[in-house]
Amino acid sequence: VYSSRSRLHNQITPDEYAPDPAAGGGCRPHGESTDGRPLTLGYDVPLFTVGAPAAFLAQQVLADLEAGWAVIVVSPHRSVLDRIARQAVGTPIHWLDPQNSHRSTHLPVVSAEEWETEDNQSAVVVMQTFLADLGVDLALPPVGAFCQRLIRALASSARHADQDLTFTDLYAVSRSTQALRSFLMDVHSFSSPDAQELLAQLADEAGYVQAVTILSAIRTALGPLEAGPLRALSQPPFLNVSQFLSERSLLLVPMTDTDFPRHDRLLSAMLDLTLNRILATPRHRNLSLHLHDPHLYRDDHGRRWIEAARRDPHLSLLLDIQQPERYRPREGSQLIFRCSHALASSLINDWHLPASIADLAELPADTAVARLPGMVVTLKVSNP
């Protein structure tokens, strides 16, 4: 550490600390402690960073790739993703990029080739979560029942025809009761009970009004799919998720539509659906997820993936947050690179630090305060 202004710099790594290469299938390298020893954290522990420099995030991604993980990085800052792409030499790189549909990968709900291993119910579960993420109130029994029947009918139709099930399929049937009825009549030809129930609901006056309201909510939520880049990303050819997970590979997802933030939120929900399907797959490979500034494009600020990373040892989470007060102080492990006075005061109280606000607020550049399991130390990180 190159400054003596803070008394925190007098803290050194405990003698009993040693990096554990076996922890969680490997260790993230974080930098060096004040006494020059490497600091690491097992992949089985979610990591939170506050104000991390782009160089640090790139370093973490490259370390994950070196460990053989498939890595997904989501960021509202394209420059960060471009930097990572330049440094990930020799790694298969995919982009999920609405602003460059020619190079972008495309996402299905379920691709035709996956029906052999995918059942209808799993598609129903992930699509229900997808709609709930977009504000469709599936907690209301009539809405939940209607959407469940509709999704099952869509899945049955795609499976029967050996076709992809796509996000635009759901949008197409939500456009009007006439569009839904036309679809259901085709499905009805091979005796889908869900199609029969939906047709019966449309024939009932009260059921018809209810259907119109629900379809309107779905149509509004999926509005960005009507035309433009997100519609293009919902068309074949689709990303082969199994192949992506079978090798060391990188998926970069820029969230840059500041003029239409709901487009980014829809893209985030589409990615979440894919991630939920990956995690539901038995014996899926190790996957590392990096969420950069998630408050800009996620309504839950990344909390879903905090819980998922705790449950599943094959999922590693690095969450770079700019609003730390939205997370519980003792939630996971943290690296704090830049401290406002308010954050410094909170850390002193929550971490029981023998320090003043100035001690934290005056941390030198590229120096972080680390809270790893069982210790609080000062960490130095140099740009690669």
Side-chain angles (χ1 to χ4, degrees):
V1 177
Y2 306 108
S3 169
S4 59
R5 289 181 299 169
S6 172
R7 290 184 299 109
L8 290 176
H9 296 171
N10 296 324
Q11 299 187 36
I12 61 174
T13 313
D15 291 336
E16 63 272 16
Y17 174 77
D20 180 7
C27 286
R28 292 186 188 276
H30 290 326
E32 296 178 351
S33 66
T34 52
D35 54 349
R37 285 191 285 169
L39 284 180
T40 65
L41 183 68
Y43 278 105
D44 57 341
V45 180
L47 175 66
F48 300 81
T49 66
V50 177
F56 178 81
L57 296 178
Q59 173 185 298
Q60 298 303 303
V61 172
L62 296 176
D64 291 348
L65 292 172
E66 184 64 26
W69 291 57
V71 181
I72 299 176
V73 188
V74 187
S75 175
H77 309 294
R78 189 178 291 271
S79 60
V80 172
L81 300 179
D82 286 336
R83 178 174 188 163
I84 291 171
R86 289 194 300 269
Q87 295 184 13
V89 179
T91 299
I93 298 176
H94 309 272
W95 288 81
L96 182 59
D97 186 359
Q99 294 188 9
N100 192 336
S101 58
H102 293 292
R103 74 170 178 183
S104 179
T105 191
H106 297 182
L107 293 181
V109 176
V110 182
S111 62
E113 63 190 18
E114 294 175 304
W115 284 121
E116 290 184 4
T117 57
E118 189 82 17
D119 59 53
N120 287 2
Q121 185 55 33
S122 61
V124 171
V125 171
V126 295
M127 287 192 76
Q128 284 178 308
T129 302
F130 169 73
L131 288 175
D133 288 344
L134 295 174
V136 179
D137 194 356
L138 273 71
L140 293 174
V143 178
F146 181 92
C147 290
Q148 192 173 63
R149 294 188 190 106
L150 177 59
I151 296 168
R152 276 202 301 260
L154 286 166
S156 296
S157 176
R159 179 189 291 275
H160 181 80
D162 196 24
Q163 294 179 344
D164 305 307
L165 175 60
T166 70
F167 296 100
T168 52
D169 291 335
L170 180 59
Y171 178 74
V173 298
S174 73
R175 297 191 66 178
S176 65
T177 54
Q178 291 84 354
L180 176 58
R181 193 186 303 274
S182 176
F183 163 72
L184 293 175
M185 293 300 293
D186 288 339
V187 176
H188 188 52
S189 66
F190 56 89
S191 302
S192 164
D194 296 293
Q196 293 176 21
E197 291 180 16
L198 289 172
L199 284 170
Q201 180 172 347
L202 291 177
D204 174 75
E205 184 176 350
Y208 177 85
V209 173
Q210 188 179 82
V212 169
T213 303
I214 298 172
L215 290 175
S216 176
I218 296 174
R219 184 169 64 253
T220 300
L222 300 181
L225 291 177
E226 183 173 11
L230 287 182
R231 184 176 185 84
L233 299 192
S234 302
Q235 306 294 327
F238 294 117
L239 172 69
N240 188 323
V241 175
S242 298
Q243 181 178 348
F244 172 76
L245 292 175
S246 67
E247 58 188 2
R248 184 183 73 174
S249 51
L250 177 63
L251 175 62
L252 302 173
V253 187
M255 297 287 183
T256 55
D257 203 339
T258 53
D259 292 331
F260 300 96
R262 75 189 190 104
H263 289 202
D264 278 349
R265 295 189 186 279
L266 176 55
L267 182 62
S268 180
M270 292 166 64
L271 179 62
D272 270 15
L273 184 148
T274 301
L275 290 173
N276 283 324
R277 289 189 55 233
I278 290 172
L279 295 182
T281 303
R283 296 186 296 277
H284 68 269
R285 263 178 56 91
N286 292 338
L287 176 67
S288 179
L289 175 62
H290 295 242
L291 297 178
H292 188 197
D293 284 359
H295 69 283
L296 294 178
Y297 50 87
R298 293 190 62 90
D299 290 329
D300 72 340
H301 301 267
R303 289 184 181 277
R304 168 182 298 162
W305 298 113
I306 295 171
E307 298 305 323
R310 285 173 168 161
R311 293 191 305 267
D312 192 333
H314 297 289
L315 173 65
S316 172
L317 174 67
L318 188 150
L319 189 68
D320 186 42
I321 58 178
Q322 296 297 321
Q323 299 177 335
E325 67 280 359
R326 291 184 177 272
Y327 300 86
R328 294 193 298 273
R330 299 184 180 278
E331 196 168 57
S333 297
Q334 292 179 298
L335 300 182
I336 312 294
F337 282 88
R338 290 193 295 273
C339 256
S340 65
H341 280 69
L343 177 57
S345 177
S346 174
L347 290 179
I348 289 169
N349 292 330
D350 295 330
W351 293 5
H352 308 293
L353 295 179
S356 68
I357 290 178
D359 290 333
L360 273 72
E362 296 176 1
L363 286 174
D366 298 325
T367 299
V369 174
R371 180 177 184 265
L372 303 181
M375 64 177 182
V376 177
V377 299
T378 301
L379 169 73
K380 72 177 181 184
V381 177
S382 46
N383 292 337

